[in-house]
């Protein structure tokens, strides 16, 4: 079938595959696989729901505005085309989904037709109009011949056929489907040819008395640069309004908050994976979809490949499990650490039971999963507390919640300068900030089971203080340096510096004490909450933190893989003949046993940017040719095949500089 | 029992995990720190005598030592060096002549190079006294720019100096500048390094201290540069090293045109080749196959797959297709019906794959009835989307695209359309990519639509289907003209000729083949025993009949007239002349004065005959006629398509044809057996003659070994007739496989025609 171009797969007649697929080995990876996948789907459905809600919520404000704009723009008697400039930010990849969602809203909430055009639809005005008409009136017709394009209704009405790009089609369509406005969205306005845009706007303007157009331009740069591309005459036809879309990094932050750093997530990604996903977002993709893909894949990997994830199933009973699952738990590093700690503590009887009895282990696992989840939820909650604390104190540099969480989850928070600095500025907090902070916390719906501080107490005490201070909120904070002044005295030609503290009133002292108490309690809370997740028993189940499949799957290094395969085939083949006697340096790795392409690749690496094929051949022949005389055609065949492969992979290209020379196009490792 | 915290990678135990556990010295050494590099540079002179190649020594070390080293030249232990002596040019380690070599051949004493600086290096300068260095005063009032302009001018006028000289000068100048800078730091090292070697020779001149007048002395030893390129450069340095101006000096050797193989020779050579890593490659494929379950799961979850890595991934996608087929067969939709899951496979490497074809194939799966499909790809695509929305398939349709990064699928609308296709939840895309830089094909938007998961699927399998090796190499070397000639010309000529001429050629080949077939079968039965006993003596057998080689002119003419190919003898001759001009046929007269017409593009090779017979066999069973008895045939899977390219065979060979043909049998799997079973007596006697004639023409170059010659004389019919082509080596050795196809195709045409006429 390799010579066919496209075909439908048909299985070979012989069905000899069946016995081959039975696995005999003991470690069957498919134990509980359906259950595990079911658990995965269950948990992921929850997450997906959260993601969807977050995305909708993020867009809602902007979408509301746009929908209002569209519906208010509908009345007729207009002199200009109402135009929405949607500044959607530089993350082009998420524009498509945004306009999809927007279209659904507009269709639902207003009586308008909605069409999205991309730059691919509009190489010139004619094609643009054709596509527009086709999409708007949703006709399914062949457009390969213009003669057929005459819409029967319009031709019947006018007696003459309309051409395929005549806006009369839309007019006719509107007669049949009365809509208030025809909304046309240009998803990537930067990619449109400016001339096409100008012509199109002129045309739309001339039709405005018959078709109520509303234009929406998706803009990745800025509204000003969009206006610069149009002529002034054209701009006069437009009446613009600007809409700012929530930027994707902001959305990512919110997604992270609900999917990872929220308090009710049964499974989390670990700091390594989280950091990778976030970095990738920042550096490359900037696409909300990709974030959720990464998260999903982490969940998939977790449940697909690891037995003990079955314990995350919500209603699990002992009878559902096989001994393999328990064996797997006993092999986990966190289990060993835990057991060793227990042995050290002298609880050897429990240890014995745990090692022997599955029932006991099951009970322990269930209870520890609960407590582990609680601990992780507490950690996330503490992160949110810290985040809102920093935001209330307006500390710089601004740290994102996600980065705080990653630091906390990698047990990098306790004793870090970051935390210390925050706590210090907490101590110096002014009363206004204090009030603001307390408000933020109470409005932040932090779960009281995790955030143990009694906020109400602080609020009431502070209010009492303010009352006692004659309703004035001005307190001096004992810890604040701003209340100290330096006094310089010159005594006997020596300069003496002395600190002078402003005298504090009773209220000031009480306030300072209150702040000090908060500082202390919060410090204790953080010390409690910022645990090292890796120390938890069963942390492997509760947190997925393996970078191995994740990185390669999302950020492949194909060039590296190919170069590696060619330069050291032993890595892949694991054969005895090559690579056993690899000395230092490149020379030792070149042996006649290598695959032909690998040999040629080595020679290729050593040569300059222009390669003489004749010399290449003689070198190659010297490598592979043996003493038998008839080996030459075979060596030549191998040589030709290897050369063709190098060409296929794009390593070489023909060169006209000299005869029988080829040009090198890739340098290894660059 | 795998450790529980490990996930995918551990279960798959795929290639990449294997990799990670191995040591890779090559990679580790790839990026030495700058520190190491520097020190390595400095120390080189000290290490030189022990480790360097003899040629490198020549540059820096006096003649005496050189002679000693020459003896060491012979017994370097590696195989490559041993073979070096047989090859006329260069060591295999360095393919190209390194630029340093030329300079250092005559650069024994660095002194001369240094001196050049103070002279004007131009040869024809009329204003300078040749021997004297210019005075300081004169030097002073010349600005550097004027000097360089003058030098440039005189160089252009003289024209004698090439770029190489210029380069040499520049290098010397650069070295001068560098050495001035580095003198202080370098001196210490040099004193202990190369300086030590020099001490025995010129002990008087070298004091302990710093040699001040180093420029004048026999060696302020310059750092000797070796002709071998510097090892272990970081990648970017290597790039600049290999791209330095004038840096690539390659020899002017050209590849002799007959050393490149043509299709026939290539395939023949590859049949005997056994990959020594076959077991490992299979194992690697097996490893990848263990991930099939995982990939299926990933597809189910809405991701698309992209497989990359070295080696053809077609075997892998075939397995994946089989796996998906099995998997989907369990789906509820197929439980109680005889419908089967549809998996669309697209070979992107095929040059004729069009977007429309791809979309039509997909649409044929999705659209239940044979409704009319839109013509334009874009409207076809939107039609598919509508169909998907209206009646979605019970499960996502797998779409496998082999070599999605091929040149033919890179054109403008195709990636975008494939991406929008892949973005549909009802379509599961699995694609393979070959080139290392494929991610550059897709921008962020497309990537987001593709939603790919990438997997390293290095298989080391040969790109058999993806690359046409011979064609590709010819193209690479700019020798596309080569293909015009020999067998290929037939296709071209026939395609450009009118229908009548094609028919005439068909008649000629048919006649000749019919003669051969009859003769060959009889001879084969007769001779089997003889050949088994004396396989080497075949070519010496006496000629039985020379006449069967060709078709008599008269007969041919009558046949042609019967088929209304031509109406007069003049027209007949005119048609034949065209073939003559392209050396496709030749005519000869026998002793009786009868004219015979022979074409060389007719299968005289037994294997081709067998293939043709096999086709016959299949046809016979297709038409319920009694089979002729042939055994152990080889059958190329590509035969039908090859035939198609030559003539419209699809009209006569029914579509059920492949069912009668075991497509797994590799073509010509047992070459020697085929040969020994040769029935072609006529071919043999002609072979003897053919050998002699070709040898005469090529000066004994045609057959390199006697053994080969005996085997090849089997195809001597071709060699004999191929004399007209005059490419002794290329043609004489050719198995004429594809010309066999041609003949076989004609045979089919004839047979079917005959069968149709029978009842």
């Amino acid at each position: 079938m390799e010579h066919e171009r496209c075909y439908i797969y048909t299985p070979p007649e012989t069905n000899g595959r069946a016995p081959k697929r039975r696995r005999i080995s003991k470690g069957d990876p498919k134990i509980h696989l359906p259950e595990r996948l079911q658990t995965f789907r269950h948990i992921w459905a929850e997450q997906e729901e959260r993601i969807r809600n977050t995305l909708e919520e993020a867009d809602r404000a902007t979408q509301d505005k746009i929908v209002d704009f569209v519906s208010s723009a509908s009345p007729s008697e207009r002199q200009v085309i109402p135009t929405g400039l949607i500044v959607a930010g530089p993350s082009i990849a998420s524009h498509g989904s945004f306009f999809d969602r927007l279209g659904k809203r507009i269709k639902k909430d207003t009586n308008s037709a909605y069409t999205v055009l991309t730059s691919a639809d509009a190489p010139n005005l004619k094609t643009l109009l054709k596509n527009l008409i086709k999409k708007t009136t949703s006709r399914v017709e062949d457009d390969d011949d213009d003669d057929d394009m005459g819409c029967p209704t319009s031709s019947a009405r006018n007696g003459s056929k309309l051409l395929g790009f005549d806006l009369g089609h839309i007019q006719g369509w509107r007669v049949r489907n009365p809509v208030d406005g025809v909304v046309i969205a240009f998803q990537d306005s930067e990619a449109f040819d400016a001339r096409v845009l100008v012509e199109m706007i002129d045309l739309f303007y001339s039709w405005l008395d018959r078709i109520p157009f509303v234009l929406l331009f998706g803009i990745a740069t800025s509204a000003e640069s969009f206006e610069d591309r149009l002529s002034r005459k054209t701009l006069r036809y437009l009446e613009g309004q600007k809409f700012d879309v929530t930027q994707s990094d902001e959305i990512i932050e919110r997604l992270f908050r609900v999917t990872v750093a929220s308090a009710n997530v049964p499974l989390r990604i670990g700091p390594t994976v989280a950091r990778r996903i976030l970095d990738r977002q920042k550096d490359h993709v900037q696409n909300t979809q990709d974030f959720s893909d990464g998260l999903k894949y982490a969940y998939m990997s977790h449940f697909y490949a690891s037995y003990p994830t079955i314990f995350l199933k919500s209603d699990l009973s002992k009878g559902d499990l096989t001994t393999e699952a328990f064996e797997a738990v006993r092999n986990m590093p966190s289990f060993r650490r835990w057991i060793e700690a227990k042995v050290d503590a002298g609880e050897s009887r429990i240890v014995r039971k745990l090692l022997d009895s599955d029932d006991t282990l099951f009970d322990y696992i269930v209870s520890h999963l609960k407590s582990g989840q609680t601990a992780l939820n507490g950690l996330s909650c503490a992160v949110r507390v810290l985040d809102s604390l920093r935001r209330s104190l307006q500390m710089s540099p601004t740290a994102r919640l996600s980065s705080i969480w990653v630091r906390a989850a990698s047990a990098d928070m306790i004793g870090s300068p970051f935390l210390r600095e925050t706590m210090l500025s907490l101590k110096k907090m002014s009363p206004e900030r204090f009030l603001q902070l307390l408000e933020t916390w109470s409005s932040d719906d932090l779960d009281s089971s995790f955030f143990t501080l009694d906020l109400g107490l602080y609020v009431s005490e502070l209010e009492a203080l303010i009352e006692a201070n004659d309703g004035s909120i001005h307190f001096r904070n004992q810890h604040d340096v701003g209340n100290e002044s330096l006094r310089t005295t010159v005594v006997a030609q020596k300069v003496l510096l002395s600190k002078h503290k402003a005298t504090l009133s009773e209220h000031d002292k009480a306030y300072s004490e209150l702040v000090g108490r908060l500082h202390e309690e919060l410090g204790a809370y953080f010390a409690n909450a910022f645990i090292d997740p890796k120390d938890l028993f069963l942390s492997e189940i509760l947190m997925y933190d393996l970078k191995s499949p994740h990185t390669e799957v999302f950020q492949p290094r194909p060039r590296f893989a190919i170069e590696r395969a060619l330069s050291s085939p032993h890595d892949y083949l694991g054969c005895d003949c090559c690579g056993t006697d690899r000395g230092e340096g490149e020379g030792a790795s070149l042996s006649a046993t290598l695959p032909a392409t690998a040999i040629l690749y080595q020679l290729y690496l050593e040569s300059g940017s222009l390669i003489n094929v004749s010399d290449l051949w003689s070198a190659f022949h010297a490598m592979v040719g043996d003493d038998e005389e008839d080996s030459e055609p075979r060596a030549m065949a191998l040589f030709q095949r290897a050369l063709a492969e190098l060409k296929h992979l794009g390593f070489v290209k023909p060169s006209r500089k000299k005869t029988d020379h080829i040009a090198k196009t890739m340098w290894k490792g660059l | 029992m795998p450790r529980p915290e490990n996930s995918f990678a551990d279960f798959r135990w795929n290639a990449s995990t294997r990799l990670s556990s191995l040591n890779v010295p090559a990679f580790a050494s790839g990026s030495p720190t700058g520190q190491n590099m520097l020190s390595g540079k400095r120390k080189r002179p000290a290490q030189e005598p022990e480790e360097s190649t003899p040629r490198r020594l020549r540059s820096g070390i006096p003649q005496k030592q050189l002679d000693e080293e020459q003896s060491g030249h012979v017994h370097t232990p590696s195989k490559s060096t041993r073979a070096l002596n047989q090859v006329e040019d260069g060591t295999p380690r360095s393919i190209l002549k390194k630029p340093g070599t030329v300079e250092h051949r005559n650069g024994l004493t660095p002194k001369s190079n240094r001196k050049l600086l103070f002279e004007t290096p131009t040869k024809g300068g009329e204003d300078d006294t040749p021997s004297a260095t210019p005075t300081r005063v004169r030097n002073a009032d010349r600005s550097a720019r004027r000097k360089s302009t003058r030098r440039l001018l005189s160089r252009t006028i003289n024209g004698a100096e090439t770029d190489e000289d210029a380069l040499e000068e520049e290098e010397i100048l650069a070295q001068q500048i560098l050495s001035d800078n580095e003198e202080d730091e370098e001196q210490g090292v040099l004193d202990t390094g190369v300086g030590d070697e020099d001490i025995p020779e010129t002990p008087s001149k070298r004091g302990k201290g710093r040699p001040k007048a180093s420029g004048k002395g026999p060696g302020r030893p310059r750092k000797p540069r070796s002709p071998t390129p510097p090892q272990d450069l970081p990648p970017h340095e290597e790039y600049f090293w290999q791209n330095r101006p004038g840096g690539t000096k390659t020899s002017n050797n050209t590849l002799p045109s007959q050393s490149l193989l043509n299709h026939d020779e290539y395939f023949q050579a590859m049949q005997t080749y056994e990959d020594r890593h076959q077991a490992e490659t299979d194992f690697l494929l097996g490893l990848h196959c263990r991930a099939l379950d995982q990939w299926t799961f990933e597809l189910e979850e809405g991701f698309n797959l992209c497989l990359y890595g070295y080696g053809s991934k077609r075997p892998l996608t075939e397995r994946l297709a089989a796996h998906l087929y099995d998997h989907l067969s369990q789906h509820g939709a197929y439980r109680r019906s005889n419908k089967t899951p549809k998996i669309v496979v697209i070979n992107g490497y095929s040059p004729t794959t069009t977007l429309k074809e791809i979309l039509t194939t997909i649409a044929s799966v999705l659209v239940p009835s044979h409704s009319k499909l839109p013509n334009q790809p874009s409207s076809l695509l939107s039609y598919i989307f509508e169909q998907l929305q209206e009646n979605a398939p019970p499960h996502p349709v797998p779409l496998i695209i082999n070599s999605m990064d091929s040149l033919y699928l890179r054109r403008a609308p195709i990636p975008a359309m494939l991406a929008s296709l892949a973005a549909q939840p009802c379509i599961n895309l699995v694609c393979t990519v070959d080139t290392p830089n494929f991610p550059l094909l897709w921008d962020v938007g497309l990537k987001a639509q593709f939603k790919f998961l990438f997997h390293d699927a290095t298989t080391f399998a040969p790109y058999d289907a993806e690359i046409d090796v011979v064609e590709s190499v010819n193209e690479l070397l700019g020798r596309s003209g080569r293909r015009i000639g020999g067998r290929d010309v037939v296709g071209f000529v026939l395609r450009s000729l009118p229908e009548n001429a094609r028919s005439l050629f068909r008649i000629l080949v048919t006649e000749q083949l019919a003669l051969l077939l009859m003769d060959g079968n009889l001879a084969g039965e007769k001779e089997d025993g003889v050949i088994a006993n004396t396989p080497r003596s075949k070519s010496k057998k006496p000629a039985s009949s020379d006449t069967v080689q060709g078709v008599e002119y008269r007969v041919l003419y009558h046949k042609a007239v019967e088929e209304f190919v031509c109406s007069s003898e003049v027209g007949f001759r005119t048609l034949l002349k065209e073939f003559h001009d392209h050396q496709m046929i030749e005519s000869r007269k026998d002793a009786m004065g009868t004219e015979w017409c022979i074409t060389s593009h007719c299968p005289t090779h037994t294997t081709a005959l067998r293939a043709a017979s096999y086709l016959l066999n299949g046809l016979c069973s297709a038409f319920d006629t009694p089979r002729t008895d042939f055994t152990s045939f080889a059958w190329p899977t590509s035969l039908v398509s090859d035939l198609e390219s030559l003539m419209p065979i699809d009209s006569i060979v029914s579509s059920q044809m492949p069912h009668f043909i075991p497509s797994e049998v590799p073509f010509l799997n047992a070459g020697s057996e085929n040969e020994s079973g040769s029935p072609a007596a006529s071919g043999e006697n002609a072979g003897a003659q053919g050998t002699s004639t070709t040898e005469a023409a090529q000066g004994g170059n045609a057959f390199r070994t006697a053994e080969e010659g005996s085997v090849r004389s089997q195809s001597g019919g071709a060699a004999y007739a191929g004399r007209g082509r005059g490419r002794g080596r290329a043609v004489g050795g050719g198995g004429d496989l594809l010309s066999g196809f041609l003949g076989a195709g004609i045979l089919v045409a004839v047979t079917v025609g005959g069968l149709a006429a029978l009842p």
Side-chain angles (χ1 to χ4, degrees), chain A residues 2 4-5 7 9 30 296-297 305 328 332 546 553 572 593 606 612 615 645 658 660-661 664 667, chain B residues 4-5 11 24 93 95 242 250-251 253 255 277 293 298 301 310 343 345 347 349 436 454 456 479:
Chain A
E2 69 263 25
E4 296 202 21
R5 295 184 290 267
Y7 59 96
Y9 174 79
K30 291 191 181 171
K296 184 177 184 180
Y297 193 73
M332 289 196 305
L546 296 171
V553 153
Y572 281 94
T593 57
E606 288 161 12
N612 184 336
D615 292 347
E645 281 187 6
K658 284 169 103 173
D660 279 351
H661 276 59
K664 192 172 175 178
W667 274 262
Chain B
E5 94 274 21
F11 274 142
V24 199
R93 286 297 328 279
I95 320 158
Q242 292 183 348
T250 54
S251 73
N253 298 344
L255 216 52
H277 288 114
D293 275 327
E298 288 169 0
E301 288 302 322
Y310 170 70
I343 298 174
V345 185
N347 289 330
Y349 49 79
F454 299 92
D456 184 351
R479 297 194 183 188

Side-chain angles (χ1 to χ4, degrees), chain B residues 616 619 623 651-653 746-758:
Chain B
L616 250 180
L619 280 172
F623 286 90
S651 55
I652 46 171
V653 177
I746 290 162
L747 195 74
V748 170
V750 175
T751 321
V752 174
L755 285 171
L758 266 180

Side-chain angles (χ1 to χ4, degrees), chain A residues 496-530:
Chain A
L496 290 181
L497 285 177
S498 60
K499 275 187 192 168
H500 176 76
K501 275 204 175 148
T503 44
L504 298 170
S505 67
E506 277 302 306
H507 301 305
D508 292 345
K509 275 185 185 154
Y511 171 72
S512 305
E513 195 184 317
L514 190 65
V515 172
R517 207 171 74 215
L518 177 70
H519 176 259
E520 240 166 61
E521 282 192 16
L522 206 58
Y525 165 71
F526 281 149
N528 249 337
F530 285 138

Side-chain angles (χ1 to χ4, degrees), chain B residues 503-515:
Chain B
S503 309
L504 179 61
F505 193 70
R506 177 175 53 80
I507 296 167
L508 170 62
V509 175
T510 316
E511 289 296 314
Q512 195 173 328
L513 234 156
L515 287 172

Side-chain angles (χ1 to χ4, degrees), chain B residues 258-334:
Chain B
Q258 65 262 39
S259 66
L260 280 180
L261 307 180
N262 62 19
H263 282 93
D264 304 338
E265 293 164 327
Y266 173 76
F267 285 120
Q268 199 175 24
M270 288 315 279
Q271 278 148 29
T272 54
Y273 174 68
E274 283 175 18
D275 192 0
R276 69 162 71 230
H277 288 114
Q278 193 57 48
E280 284 87 1
T281 315
D282 291 345
F283 180 67
L284 199 57
L285 184 64
L287 283 184
H288 290 311
C289 287
R290 292 173 69 170
L292 290 181
D293 275 327
Q294 181 197 322
W295 293 349
T296 313
F297 171 56
E298 288 169 0
L299 286 178
E300 274 176 358
E301 288 302 322
F303 289 102
N304 294 316
L305 295 181
C306 180
L307 309 177
Y308 63 91
Y310 170 70
S312 172
K313 288 158 283 291
R314 234 171 19 82
L316 194 57
T317 50
E318 261 167 35
R319 301 274 188 97
L320 180 62
H323 188 266
L324 282 174
Y325 188 88
D326 285 354
H327 182 76
L328 291 176
S329 303
Q330 326 257 307
H331 194 276
Y334 307 109

Side-chain angles (χ1 to χ4, degrees), chain B residues 224-235:
Chain B
R225 285 190 304 145
S226 67
T228 50
Q231 300 283 315
D232 295 339
L233 287 177

Side-chain angles (χ1 to χ4, degrees), chain B residues 377-580:
Chain B
S378 56
S379 43
L380 184 53
L381 189 68
S382 49
Y383 177 72
I384 289 176
F385 290 162
E386 272 167 35
Q387 287 294 327
L388 283 176
Q389 275 182 354
E390 280 166 20
N391 40 8
H395 60 81
V397 176
L399 167 65
I400 298 177
I401 302 184
N402 288 316
S403 302
M404 198 162 90
D405 58 344
S406 81
L407 289 176
Y408 316 106
L409 296 186
R410 283 185 200 173
R411 279 191 302 269
I414 300 183
M417 287 195 169
L418 288 179
S420 59
L421 205 57
Q424 294 290 319
C426 298
I427 287 183
N428 281 337
L429 174 68
V430 180
C431 73
T432 67
V433 284
D434 298 329
T435 53
N437 293 328
F438 70 86
L440 301 176
L441 291 175
W442 309 310
D443 63 16
V444 180
L446 290 188
K447 244 179 216 166
Q449 280 187 303
F450 272 126
K451 213 177 161 188
F452 271 137
L453 299 179
F454 299 92
H455 291 290
D456 184 351
T458 303
T459 59
F460 276 87
Y463 292 96
D464 280 336
E466 285 90 337
I467 313 178
D468 181 352
V469 169
V470 176
E471 197 64 26
S472 165
V473 168
N474 281 339
E475 198 181 309
L476 190 62
L477 298 180
R479 297 194 183 188
S480 48
R482 256 176 64 87
R483 58 188 300 218
I484 312 297
R487 186 195 58 248
D488 295 311
V489 78
V490 180
F492 280 112
V493 173
L494 283 183
R495 253 172 258 153
S496 58
L497 283 181
E499 184 63 40
N500 276 350
R502 268 184 269 177
S503 309
L504 179 61
F505 193 70
R506 177 175 53 80
I507 296 167
L508 170 62
V509 175
T510 316
E511 289 296 314
Q512 195 173 328
L513 234 156
L515 287 172
L516 270 176
L517 193 60
M518 284 189 291
D519 208 43
N521 276 338
L522 293 172
E525 282 164 24
K526 271 192 295 191
E527 279 180 36
D528 260 353
V530 184
I531 291 166
N533 291 334
T534 59
R536 291 269 174 261
S537 62
K538 279 186 291 180
S539 58
K540 290 170 192 128
K541 283 180 78 81
S544 61
S545 59
D546 196 13
T547 50
V548 283
Q549 277 298 305
V551 184
E552 206 180 325
Y553 258 76
R554 197 172 38 80
V555 177
L556 190 61
Y557 173 64
H558 284 301
K559 287 264 179 195
V561 171
E562 270 172 32
E563 298 204 17
F564 300 106
V565 169
C566 54
S567 54
S568 67
E569 176 116 17
V570 181
F572 175 69
R573 293 272 172 185
T574 320
L575 289 176
L576 283 185
K577 181 155 189 313
E578 187 75 37
F579 300 141
H580 265 295

Side-chain angles (χ1 to χ4, degrees), chain B residues 37-57:
Chain B
M37 248 184 63
L38 274 179
S39 61
K41 228 186 208 170
R42 295 280 143 68
K43 279 174 198 153
R44 176 159 298 152
Q47 296 162 351
E48 204 87 343
E50 292 91 50
E51 64 167 14
S52 64
T53 59
R55 205 194 284 174
R56 197 195 283 172
L57 281 167

